[in-house]
Amino acid sequence: MDVKIHESWKPYLKEEFEKKYFDDLVVFVKEEYQKHTCFPSGDEIFNAFNYCHFNDVKVVIIGQDPYHGYGQANGLCFSVHDNVAHPPSLINIFKEIETDRGVPYPKSGDLSRWAKQGVLLLNATLTVRAHQAGSHQNKGWEQFTDAVIQLINEKHHNIVFLLWGGFAKKKSKFIDSKKHQILTSGHPSPLSANRGYWFGNKCFSATNNYLEHIGITPIEW
């Protein structure tokens, strides 16, 4: 199957695209987009891979579902299009960067600027029906994105995996902590952040300190 994903990923994911579960997933997603309003737009589904090429990966951030409100999701976890109001989790991410790194709170919530520096912004599920969180879960996306995490674990060294919240932390079973750096914290959602599990985790400075230590250009958060 010829999936519209950046060429750098295709040799590594070719076998995954040929598996039955992925064929079934494609059928499901096409039907959903024909019958319902779904996000992100069809040409943005694989944006995490299109902005962050295989050999450029430095950092992996794992989300769960795309945003399900109009105009929000752009194929990068936690990211929204320009001129879209920042969702609560993204607000808390920017607040933590502000205190951790001294970076002013940005106007744009589009995180493609991170992706282009080597941050893979990977949702476990890449599509969703409008206003129905989790509506495309357990249809095959998780099998695909788990395979992506395992691929990065196997083929790369010294990747920083940022696992925020209980869902993301479960992905640590696919990651060799001797080869890679795993940084965990609570989720940036208000429920977690207001309980003291997010603010002050300093994961952004910790990421850059690790990258600089191994001689890799840090991320401009």
Side-chain angles (χ1 to χ4, degrees):
M1 180 177 296
D2 184 28
V3 178
K4 291 182 180 178
I5 192 171
H6 189 266
E7 292 294 327
S8 65
W9 291 90
K10 284 186 175 181
Y12 301 99
L13 294 172
K14 183 176 181 291
E15 290 185 12
E16 214 63 31
F17 294 147
E18 293 173 352
K19 292 180 179 178
K20 185 181 185 303
Y21 88 86
F22 199 86
D23 287 337
D24 294 341
L25 173 62
V26 169
V27 171
F28 167 77
V29 170
K30 284 182 176 178
E31 288 181 354
E32 283 287 294
Y33 273 71
Q34 288 170 359
K35 295 177 181 178
H36 307 280
T37 300
C38 296
F39 303 120
S41 63
D43 61 347
E44 294 177 318
I45 291 173
F46 292 102
N47 263 0
F49 306 91
N50 295 333
Y51 281 110
C52 181
H53 304 163
F54 180 78
N55 290 323
D56 298 334
V57 178
K58 301 177 183 178
V59 180
V60 178
I61 299 177
I62 298 173
Q64 191 163 0
D65 245 15
Y67 296 122
H68 52 82
Y70 282 96
Q72 291 182 307
N74 65 2
L76 308 172
C77 72
F78 297 105
S79 175
V80 292
H81 286 289
D82 270 339
N83 303 315
V84 172
H86 300 176
S89 290
L90 185 58
I91 290 173
N92 288 338
I93 288 170
F94 286 152
K95 284 181 177 179
E96 175 61 21
I97 293 172
E98 199 169 17
T99 56
D100 180 20
R101 301 289 299 162
V103 177
Y105 191 102
K107 291 182 180 179
S108 173
D110 183 354
L111 302 182
S112 60
R113 60 185 182 274
W114 295 1
K116 292 173 184 176
Q117 296 177 71
V119 182
L120 183 68
L121 295 159
L122 184 66
N123 274 317
T125 301
L126 298 188
T127 57
V128 69
R129 195 186 293 184
H131 311 305
Q132 295 186 37
S135 50
H136 288 186
Q137 292 178 3
N138 302 315
K139 300 296 183 181
W141 277 130
E142 296 91 341
Q143 186 172 342
F144 171 69
T145 53
D146 283 352
V148 171
I149 295 168
Q150 292 174 76
L151 168 68
I152 294 169
N153 174 68
E154 179 186 345
K155 299 294 184 183
H156 284 289
H157 286 80
N158 301 318
I159 302 297
V160 181
F161 287 87
L162 295 176
L163 308 183
W164 299 338
F167 177 85
K169 288 175 185 175
K170 291 178 182 176
K171 304 299 181 181
S172 63
K173 64 185 177 184
F174 301 122
I175 306 164
D176 183 350
S177 60
K178 294 178 182 177
K179 287 177 65 180
H180 306 286
Q181 180 79 342
I182 301 174
L183 299 175
T184 63
S185 77
H187 195 277
S189 67
L191 183 65
S192 173
N194 293 338
R195 290 177 177 174
Y197 300 134
W198 169 254
F199 292 117
N201 71 67
K202 298 186 182 297
C203 62
F204 301 100
S205 57
T207 295
N208 280 1
N209 289 341
Y210 177 79
L211 293 175
E212 289 179 321
H213 177 72
I214 60 174
I216 295 177
T217 303
I219 305 299
E220 291 184 17
W221 301 106

